[in-house]
Amino acid sequence: MSGSKSIARTAATGGALDPDFLAWSTSLPIDRRLLEEDCRGSVAHVQGLRAGGLLTDAEADTLIAALQSLPAKVASGEVVLQADEEDVHMAVESWLRQEVGDVAGKVHTGRSRNDQVATDLKLWCRDAVGRLEAQIDAVLTAAQAWASRHEDVVLPAYTHRQVAIPTMAPLWIEGALSIALQRDRALLAGVRQELAESPLGGGAVGGTTLPVDTGVSSKALGFDSPPGNPLDAIGQRDHALLLVFVCARLGLHLGRFSADVIELASDGLVKLGGAIAGGSSMMPHKRNPDLFELVRGQSALRQGELVQLMVTFQGLGAGYHRDLQQDKQVIFAAVDGVIDCLRMIEISLANFELLPEPCLRALVAGDAVATDLCEGLVAGGMAFRDAYGKVGALVAAQRGAGKRLAELDADALKDAGFDPALIDRLDPVRAAKRRAARFGR
């Protein structure tokens, strides 16, 4: 008889589970990923049992040694967890009974799967925060290197997907990517705060009357404290919800940056390296921004996962509900997905370059210096709306002649009724540097 049928059922529960129902309801294919966390949590719980006098030193040592060995044995293939278990927690306990005998029956003393799964998930989420922080840092480092390579490059800033105003490349990538990721990283500190309390000791819903030392177990797992309220400890998933929200927001920010690069590529202002450019199965000349399109598409998945998790929690009362079994698949997908996208953006930053000359041509063609000329008039004392209309008329006249503002020389500017000293305002490079200087760049 499998562990799930003998360990998690009694005569009061009833007969064996219908095999189709067991196969449908098992979470083992998903939560087996929590094996290492489950063993860590069980080791800490054993330490708490020993501190409370519920296990002898010999019993505790036997259990701890076995639990610590299991993840490596599963990874190497030496041990295969039973496939017909309800979840990873029962699979571990079933294996433990086979490994060490009757003493395994004591490992669940004063503990429920409810506080066990809550603990495992918090441990996983805490590790996930560290992985996210590390990958965000890697992207920020790559973005800084990209900015250094393009320190003096001027490109168009867009509004309404049209050339608007000249900007410097370091200012663009900072505003399009780096600052947003820095805010996202800071938000992860809030996730860490919500992970500070250990659920272990919350039991099924009301703790235990046994003298389990939950202070020992929480300290062993790196938590700040044992549970303060058992219902909250086992039933709340606010930390997971906030973590998935951060993943969704990261996805939005990466998607926004990707949209910018796709637009720049379509306008011929960047060159995509062969390492990241996609090809066409039919058109041999194509160099497609596939990486950025996929990252942009992934943003929708992150938003969907956030909604999935919120709807899963909607309407649940205090304490544990089996609905919560569904949260892990969503959380794993959100974290894995956004870490993959961050990694792709990190790779991309070493493999696409701005093209300075096409960028300048786009600025000229788009009359991107019109606002600078307008502000030059304002600086000379003209009312803004008067300057706005005067420059607009000049733009129209130039375009009617098939020309652009930046093509005017000082004499032509004077003939149009402008101070020839304003010729400096028609240089896109100077315009970009002048604006960047206002922000300390």
Side-chain angles (χ1 to χ4, degrees):
M1 181 176 287
S2 74
S4 62
K5 298 171 185 174
S6 60
I7 294 175
R9 301 186 70 79
T10 68
T13 306
L17 286 174
D18 180 281
D20 287 343
F21 169 54
L22 177 59
W24 176 77
S25 64
T26 180
S27 61
L28 184 57
I30 301 300
D31 63 26
R32 67 183 303 134
R33 185 170 179 175
L34 296 173
L35 174 63
E36 192 271 336
E37 287 82 6
D38 196 70
C39 290
R40 282 166 57 197
S42 292
V43 166
H45 182 62
V46 167
Q47 292 170 340
L49 292 175
R50 172 160 52 188
L54 296 167
L55 285 175
T56 67
D57 285 342
E59 290 172 330
D61 290 343
T62 296
L63 291 169
I64 289 171
L67 288 164
Q68 289 178 335
S69 73
L70 181 56
K73 290 180 177 179
V74 171
S76 69
E78 180 182 345
V79 171
V80 177
L81 297 178
Q82 293 187 25
D84 62 346
E85 296 292 349
E86 291 182 43
D87 49 43
V88 69
H89 322 294
M90 290 294 98
V92 169
E93 190 171 343
S94 178
W95 171 84
L96 195 61
R97 177 172 289 188
Q98 298 172 14
E99 184 74 5
V100 301
D102 291 343
V103 69
K106 296 186 176 185
V107 75
H108 209 58
T109 303
R111 182 179 71 172
S112 166
R113 275 185 295 178
N114 295 354
D115 60 345
Q116 191 175 0
V117 67
T119 301
D120 290 1
L121 185 59
K122 273 198 168 182
L123 291 172
W124 190 92
C125 287
R126 191 170 67 194
D127 291 344
V129 168
R131 290 190 289 124
L132 281 165
E133 289 172 337
Q135 191 56 63
I136 290 172
D137 289 345
V139 173
L140 291 173
T141 298
Q144 183 58 52
W146 188 95
S148 296
R149 294 199 309 274
H150 298 84
E151 184 176 4
D152 296 320
V153 178
V154 175
L155 75 156
Y158 288 75
T159 63
H160 304 282
R161 311 323 305 164
Q162 300 175 63
V163 171
I165 285 176
T167 191
M168 302 299 298
L171 199 65
W172 167 72
I173 199 164
E174 183 182 84
L177 180 65
S178 299
I179 294 176
L181 295 193
Q182 288 165 2
R183 285 196 296 266
D184 294 333
R185 194 188 191 288
L187 194 57
L188 287 169
V191 182
R192 286 192 181 278
Q193 290 178 349
E194 294 200 354
L195 290 167
E197 183 183 276
S198 173
L200 201 54
V205 72
T208 178
T209 62
L210 295 170
V212 183
D213 195 329
T214 55
V216 167
S217 60
S218 66
K219 184 176 180 181
L221 292 172
F223 290 109
D224 291 349
S225 66
N229 182 292
L231 281 83
D232 180 69
I234 64 166
Q236 71 90 4
R237 295 292 186 272
D238 288 350
H239 52 283
L241 192 59
L242 183 55
L243 176 60
V244 173
F245 169 73
V246 176
C247 290
R249 202 171 84 167
L250 276 163
L252 283 172
H253 291 151
L254 297 177
R256 181 183 67 176
F257 173 71
S258 295
D260 272 7
V261 178
I262 291 165
E263 181 117 32
L264 292 169
S266 70
D267 289 347
L269 306 186
V270 299
K271 180 180 180 181
L272 303 177
I276 63 169
S280 166
S281 63
M282 184 177 185
M283 298 173 285
H285 66 289
K286 294 299 295 295
R287 185 185 288 258
N288 297 327
D290 289 10
L291 182 150
F292 299 100
E293 291 175 348
L294 289 169
V295 169
R296 184 174 60 181
Q298 284 276 320
S299 175
L301 300 182
R302 304 293 83 79
Q303 294 175 61
E305 287 148 2
L306 177 60
V307 173
Q308 280 183 275
L309 203 60
M310 293 178 69
V311 173
T312 297
F313 299 156
Q314 172 67 28
L316 297 185
Y320 184 81
H321 307 271
R322 190 70 183 267
D323 312 51
L324 295 176
Q325 176 177 305
Q326 311 298 333
D327 62 6
K328 288 173 283 298
Q329 185 170 0
V330 178
I331 296 164
F332 294 165
V335 172
D336 291 347
V338 82
I339 285 178
D340 286 345
C341 286
L342 284 164
R343 174 61 179 149
M344 291 304 103
I345 293 298
E346 179 193 359
I347 291 171
S348 78
L349 288 166
N351 289 283
F352 84 90
E353 306 296 334
L354 281 174
L355 300 174
E357 290 304 317
C359 283
L360 282 174
R361 288 196 294 269
L363 288 165
V364 170
D367 286 319
V369 293
T371 303
D372 290 81
L373 181 58
C374 181
E375 291 177 348
L377 291 173
V378 171
M382 186 178 291
F384 173 74
R385 283 302 172 196
D386 292 339
Y388 180 84
K390 188 176 179 67
V391 172
L394 181 59
V395 170
Q398 283 292 98
R399 289 182 176 178
K403 298 180 180 180
R404 292 294 183 264
L405 284 181
E407 295 175 296
L408 290 164
D409 58 22
D411 289 338
L413 198 60
K414 182 178 179 181
D415 291 343
F418 289 78
D419 183 346
L422 291 173
I423 191 68
D424 178 64
R425 293 278 177 164
L426 301 184
D427 184 335
V429 175
R430 291 180 181 176
K433 291 182 176 180
R434 185 185 300 116
R435 290 178 177 280
R438 292 296 302 271
F439 299 94
R441 306 299 192 277

